[in-house]
Amino acid sequence: MELDTKFFPKGFIFATATSAYQIEGSNELDGRGRSIWDEIREQKGRIAGDPAVDVSCEARLRYKEDVQTLKELGVSHYRFSISWSRVLPDGTARKVNEEGIKFYRDLCEELLANGIKPIVSLFHADVPLAIYDDGGWLNPKNNDHFVDFCRVCFEKLGDLVKIWITFNEIAMQAWSAICRIEGHPWHCPDRPDPENKRQAPYIGGRNMLLAHARVYRLYQSDFKGKGGQVGITHTGKFTYPASNKQEDIDASRRAFDWLSRWTMDPIFTDDGDFPASMRAALPFLSSFSNEEKAMLKNSADFLGFNYYCPFKVRALEAGKKTQSLLESDGDFDYVESWEKICGETWIRYAPEGLHDLLLFVKDNYKNIPTFVTENGCMDIVDRPVEPLEDDHRVRYIEGHILAVQKAIQAGCKVLGYTLWSFIDNFEWDDGFTVRFGVYRIDFADPDKKRVAKKSARFYRNFIDSFNKC
Ligand code: BGC
């Protein structure tokens, strides 16, 4: 089957995305408070390539130019995140920073004046430092501060923003930012490990889920008149068994529970709880009270997925050391599979995983509307290729949009597809050495000019033909 715009329903959203810390820069401007990433960036040797702390896409200053580039790209929507500490400098409502809010209002107004609708993520990895120092997501009290932050955003921007995403990837935050895992990105400043390290990812994940549900309920009770939708973005890590042996099939189910389902089931299943496999393996997991379950259940107007690639897994050999707690708790191991389309990186080319993930939602979560909130790949890392001629990315994007098309044809309700990322940006621990943009930035260029790669032209042409049909 070929990619064909006529299979996408009218009103289908073709978007692109970024997140605040990855693009904004201007960390001292507007009275912004410190985020954990300011601290991480100051640690020598911590980020690949050791970039100077103030190198960025400068998107805080260049937002008008960016809106023109988005217009050139042809997207109907732009997903970005709000920096919590630009709005509430110490993370709490003690000081509401009007200058920070003004920036996000200006950005939204500029987008709307150019025919592009904002999609706003309220949390995308940059915890205010003061909140982190107070325990971050391990401290349930900080949920109150997050709810306060979201209230401010709804009040101040609710007339302009009609699509809200509470969290970007709770699972990713729980595993990479709460509990340090050897050999994995560590998305928090170096601090002594929490005492309850064994339980930390699960405690943090549970707190974030409850924070999400409170924010959803807050919008329903106090802001529904503004006519927006509130969803959540999950880690779209789909899994396949390495063989048809029962033990591998079981391992694949557990892996999916640990990688993705534990942050989705409490919201989208009738049971309203973590997967049974987790309850069986982790006796310390706190239960949800009936009140919490009721608050969580159906607390999303849509289910967002960041999908990059799936994982093939098998049962863990007895006594084998795993990369992290995640695999040993879940009792599974990875098996190498699929094409390394970007060279020696973690990305694999397997669009069927996106298709199957969307079908999983249709069959298991009552066909709740889904939204692909991130999908994309990096420039090829280890082969001498002209970076603007990113044919591999064109192939990756085409294959994944086709996977969405097939899922729609199979009856899935998909609201939109979002390309990650709009511009090359700060790729967390990989700094600027890994580039996901469809627009290239030369970070040594004082103008930080955004230059279209072939994939940007491909996406624009595809959107053009969709708009015409
Ligand atoms: C994150 C992005 C990140 C991307 C590529 C996603 O899981 O939300 O912030 O840049 O992965 O690594």
Side-chain angles (χ1 to χ4, degrees), residues 72-296:
E72 172 189 287
L73 187 60
V75 289
S76 61
H77 290 65
Y78 173 48
R79 173 182 176 224
F80 60 93
S81 73
I82 295 185
S83 152
W84 183 351
S85 62
R86 205 181 281 283
V87 170
L88 303 183
D90 72 356
T92 76
R94 255 193 299 273
K95 179 170 180 337
V96 177
N97 183 27
E98 293 298 335
E99 275 179 85
I101 292 162
K102 181 173 179 321
F103 163 58
Y104 293 110
R105 274 202 78 82
D106 289 349
L107 170 60
C108 290
E109 279 167 358
E110 189 71 15
L111 285 166
L112 291 167
N114 284 279
I116 301 165
K117 296 194 177 85
I119 299 175
V120 169
S121 313
L122 290 155
F123 180 77
H124 194 129
D126 59 342
V127 187
L129 191 61
I131 295 285
Y132 178 76
D133 285 340
D134 194 28
W137 295 115
L138 291 175
N139 179 355
K141 200 180 79 200
N142 282 328
N143 279 11
D144 298 344
H145 299 308
F146 183 66
V147 174
D148 288 347
F149 161 65
C150 295
R151 175 184 284 284
V152 171
C153 293
F154 292 155
E155 271 168 8
K156 305 280 186 176
L157 301 165
D159 55 331
L160 305 174
V161 179
K162 302 299 167 196
I163 306 183
W164 296 95
I165 292 170
T166 54
F167 277 85
N168 183 73
E169 297 197 35
I170 289 179
M172 176 73 175
Q173 189 66 25
W175 287 109
S176 311
I178 290 179
C179 185
R180 179 212 268 277
I181 296 171
E182 284 316 319
H184 279 239
W186 169 232
H187 287 181
C188 266
D190 288 298
R191 293 279 201 277
D193 285 324
E195 253 172 64
N196 48 2
K197 185 172 166 169
R198 175 79 188 75
Q199 303 183 17
Y202 306 103
I203 296 172
R206 186 178 180 284
N207 285 338
M208 284 185 266
L209 276 167
L210 292 170
H212 151 81
R214 281 178 63 187
V215 171
Y216 180 80
R217 301 294 166 204
L218 169 72
Y219 193 88
Q220 303 310 307
S221 63
D222 294 11
F223 299 96
K224 199 59 196 162
K226 297 198 185 283
Q229 296 188 63
V230 181
I232 180 166
T233 280
H234 289 290
T235 306
K237 290 184 173 166
F238 198 68
T239 61
Y240 294 96
S243 77
N244 49 22
K245 279 195 252 157
Q246 193 56 44
E247 57 178 47
D248 289 345
I249 294 170
D250 293 344
S252 169
R253 291 209 180 106
R254 282 193 306 275
F256 189 40
D257 288 348
W258 257 263
L259 290 164
S260 303
R261 281 190 76 159
W262 69 291
T263 59
M264 305 197 286
D265 279 13
I267 303 176
F268 300 106
T269 59
D270 283 338
D271 194 28
D273 199 2
F274 290 127
S277 64
M278 273 189 153
R279 286 268 173 233
L282 310 171
F284 56 75
L285 266 192
S286 320
S287 54
F288 291 114
S289 67
N290 286 340
E291 206 188 0
E292 287 169 337
K293 277 193 176 178
M295 183 170 74
L296 276 160

Side-chain angles (χ1 to χ4, degrees), residues 19 22 124 168-169 306 308 346 374 420 427-428 436:
S19 85
Q22 292 182 273
H124 194 129
N168 183 73
E169 297 197 35
N306 293 346
Y308 289 89
W346 54 271
E374 283 181 32
W420 184 273
E427 177 54 17
W428 309 119
F436 272 87

Side-chain angles (χ1 to χ4, degrees), residues 13-19 23 66-67 69-81 111 116-121 165 308 371-376 393 397 416-425 436-439 455-456 459-460 463:
I13 294 171
F14 283 106
T16 189
T18 58
S19 85
I23 63 158
D66 278 342
V67 172
T69 310
L70 287 161
K71 204 172 165 181
E72 172 189 287
L73 187 60
V75 289
S76 61
H77 290 65
Y78 173 48
R79 173 182 176 224
F80 60 93
S81 73
L111 285 166
I116 301 165
K117 296 194 177 85
I119 299 175
V120 169
S121 313
I165 292 170
Y308 289 89
F371 200 138
V372 181
T373 44
E374 283 181 32
N375 175 246
R393 185 178 279 114
I397 298 169
Y417 171 87
T418 312
L419 186 56
W420 184 273
S421 175
F422 168 38
I423 44 183
D424 286 342
N425 59 51
F436 272 87
V438 290
Y439 282 83
S455 54
Y459 197 44
R460 186 188 59 207
I463 296 173

